Structure formats: C-alpha cells, structure tokens
Amino acid sequence: MGKASGKVKRLPRDVYERELARLQTELVTLQEWVRAEGARVVVVFEGRDAAGKGSTIKRVTEYLNPRVARIVALPAPTDRERTQWYFQRYVEHLPAAGEIVLFDRSWYNRAGVERVMGFCTRQEYTRFLHQCPIFERLLVEDGVLLRKYWFSVSDAEQERRFRSRLEDPMRRWKLSAMDLESITRWEDYSRAKDEMFVHTDIPEAPWYVVESEDKRRARINMIAHLLSTIPYHEVERPPLELPPRPAPKGYERSPREMQTQVPDHSATLGTGR
C-alpha cells in the first residue's frame, strides 16, 4: 500500500471490451445458476477511496437481473443503528436463496474509516476484530458463498483520480471532504488495513487483493477470479417462442391530445452526421 513502483501499462481498450463482454456473459450464466440452485452469494468490495470499486461493481451488475443481484451501499448509521449490535444493519441485507448481494463497502467500515477517523472507540474496534471472523464463519458454515476483495491503488494514482474528479462536473459528487482527508492520512489507513488483514484474512473467508492501478485490468481480474471460485454451470432453460399476434378486434387508441405528452426535445437537436 505504499508509493507507486512504476506505471502500469493500460490494457488496450479492444482487448478489455472483448474480454469484459465474455465475462459478463458468464456472469449471466452464474446468475441463472444461483437462481436455479437457490445459492446465496455475498461479494464484499473494499479498498482505498478512488480505487475502482464502484466502477467494477457497475460492470459486474450491468447485465444482471436487479431482482437477483443487488448492490448494498449503506449510508452512515442512524442514532438508533449506533445502539444496535454492529453487524445488525448488515445482516438484514444478506441474500436469501437465489440472490447475489454486492456490498459497496461493508462491515469493514469499522476497521477502516471508523478506526482512522475516530468514529468508534478502541473497545468497539477491538470487539469488531474479535467478532468479524466469527460472524463470517457463521455465514460460510450456513452455506453463504462469501467473497472479499480489496482494491489496492498507489497514493500517486489515487491523487490523480481525485484531481480528475475535481475537474469533472459529472463526477465531482464522488468526492467528499473525508475522501480528500484520506490523502493526509495515507499511512494511518495503511496501518489499519494491515491490522485488519491480520485478524480477518481467514481460511474460511480469505481476502483477495485486486491491483487497481489500471481500472480495466482490475475489473477483468476481479470478475474472472470471482467466476473461478464458484462451481456454477449452465442451467438449461425451457425454450421460449413469441406467440402469434391475435387479429385486431376493433380497438382504437384514444387521441394523443387527451394525454400529456413529453415534449420532443430531440427535435431541437442538430442532425449533423
């Protein structure tokens, strides 16, 4: 988690897009297997701010059924949630049979931002490190397929991505004052991550580190690895055929003037080729 050791060569776009399309097809096959088998899959995405977690999640779910695969990105806990058992608000989002849940940050907030920023006490932090492996073993023992990914990025690349977001009005919302403070607390976050791994990188639920200097490589590597860890197979589905359209029975659509139409904004655009 230190400074960049050298520029990583970016994966060519054509190679990336071709392999991404293949992997996304496999993800759909995985989804159908999960639904047919009643499997429960949990994928945890953690890592530095701007490490590429969100963009990877977007590619994972792009062609999946949101009723099967859903993203959980919880806000800061409410006053009531702060009085609950720490894992309680995460438990309610765990999958039922036939579901995939992707945590865009997870219960590991306590070992990262809460620890570094002082949002939890030392006792709460120590209790988390003790309870987390137990919690995850319970999930795995109950049949949940739990996968944990840590996205690793250098300080130089993180700062470059922060600057890019600052200059882009479409992505500026991704930055907060707390994100920027991670620059000045780089080593604190590194120590917190190292200690977290010591306690929670367990055989039943190991951490998988995704090198994320090149986002394209990170996405491809993470998805390929996830697929390789789950024994899914193609599920035979009954063939579907479009039925013949029945003959008209005299229905006439009501006049458009009776309805409120969306203005034709497209008509105001140029049609340059």
Side-chain angles (χ1 to χ4, degrees), residues 29-62:
T29 302
L30 169 66
Q31 167 192 262
E32 294 308 299
W33 175 84
V34 167
R35 183 159 57 178
E37 296 293 323
R40 292 170 292 164
V41 178
V42 172
V43 187
V44 169
F45 292 78
E46 291 287 346
R48 300 278 192 178
D49 295 319
K53 301 179 296 298
S55 63
T56 302
I57 292 172
K58 181 178 179 180
R59 271 64 177 190
V60 170
T61 59
E62 189 170 4

Side-chain angles (χ1 to χ4, degrees), residues 44-202:
V44 169
F45 292 78
E46 291 287 346
R48 300 278 192 178
D49 295 319
K53 301 179 296 298
S55 63
T56 302
I57 292 172
K58 181 178 179 180
R59 271 64 177 190
V60 170
T61 59
E62 189 170 4
Y63 295 103
L64 301 185
N65 184 342
R67 293 183 177 87
V68 176
R70 54 190 168 86
I71 302 168
V72 175
L74 298 184
T78 63
D79 289 342
R80 180 176 181 275
E81 287 172 334
R82 289 190 182 94
T83 68
Q84 297 174 344
W85 175 49
Y86 177 71
F87 294 94
Q88 188 169 334
R89 75 187 192 121
Y90 296 100
V91 168
E92 65 178 284
H93 295 282
L94 292 174
E99 294 180 348
I100 303 169
V101 173
L102 300 96
F103 280 95
D104 186 355
R105 297 200 180 277
S106 65
W107 45 88
Y108 282 100
N109 275 342
R110 174 135 296 175
V113 64
E114 290 191 18
R115 170 76 176 106
V116 173
M117 301 301 294
F119 295 155
C120 67
T121 66
R122 179 70 193 186
Q123 183 182 31
E124 289 171 332
Y125 171 70
T126 303
R127 187 184 304 128
F128 170 83
L129 293 180
H130 169 69
Q131 290 185 350
C132 184
I134 299 172
F135 172 67
E136 292 180 351
R137 287 189 183 102
L138 290 174
L139 295 181
V140 173
E141 287 174 8
D142 203 58
V144 172
L145 299 173
L146 174 61
R147 303 294 181 266
K148 305 186 306 191
Y149 291 96
W150 177 270
F151 284 70
S152 179
V153 67
S154 68
D155 53 354
E157 179 61 18
Q158 183 194 55
E159 184 172 345
R160 189 195 68 78
R161 293 175 185 177
F162 279 166
R163 291 189 184 281
S164 176
R165 291 179 180 182
L166 278 172
E167 297 165 0
D168 185 348
M170 299 290 283
R171 297 188 299 147
R172 200 172 296 148
W173 62 269
K174 291 186 174 184
L175 278 180
S176 68
M178 193 175 301
D179 292 333
L180 298 180
E181 191 164 348
S182 66
I183 294 177
T184 60
R185 294 177 179 265
W186 179 270
E187 289 193 2
D188 293 336
Y189 274 105
S190 295
R191 294 188 184 96
K193 175 258 184 183
D194 290 344
E195 187 171 4
M196 177 186 81
F197 267 42
V198 167
H199 291 272
T200 63
D201 187 18
I202 58 177

